[in-house]
Amino acid sequence: MSPRAKSPYPHLADFLGAWFHQDFDLVGETIEDVVDAYARTADAAARRALAADVESFLGEGDTRD
């Protein structure tokens, strides 16, 4: 089963798996470079879906005791 199928944040899971893998440095030297590359290549709907997942994830806050 893919990470996306198990994740409550499927677009975030796809983004991290596809863009921040062991060879991410081929896309860019920094996190910002990789995010910029994603933003240049992803369509608007994909960017909106990723942004929604990130907002939901951040909205959960820190649940550690």
Side-chain angles (χ1 to χ4, degrees), residues 17-55:
W19 290 86
F20 289 96
H21 48 74
Q22 68 187 20
D23 295 325
F24 83 92
D25 62 326
L26 297 175
V27 176
E29 293 184 18
T30 67
I31 291 170
E32 291 82 3
D33 291 344
V34 176
V35 171
D36 286 345
Y38 169 81
R40 284 191 309 272
T41 61
D43 64 33
R47 293 190 310 269
R48 283 192 301 272
L50 174 59
D53 273 6
V54 169
E55 284 187 36

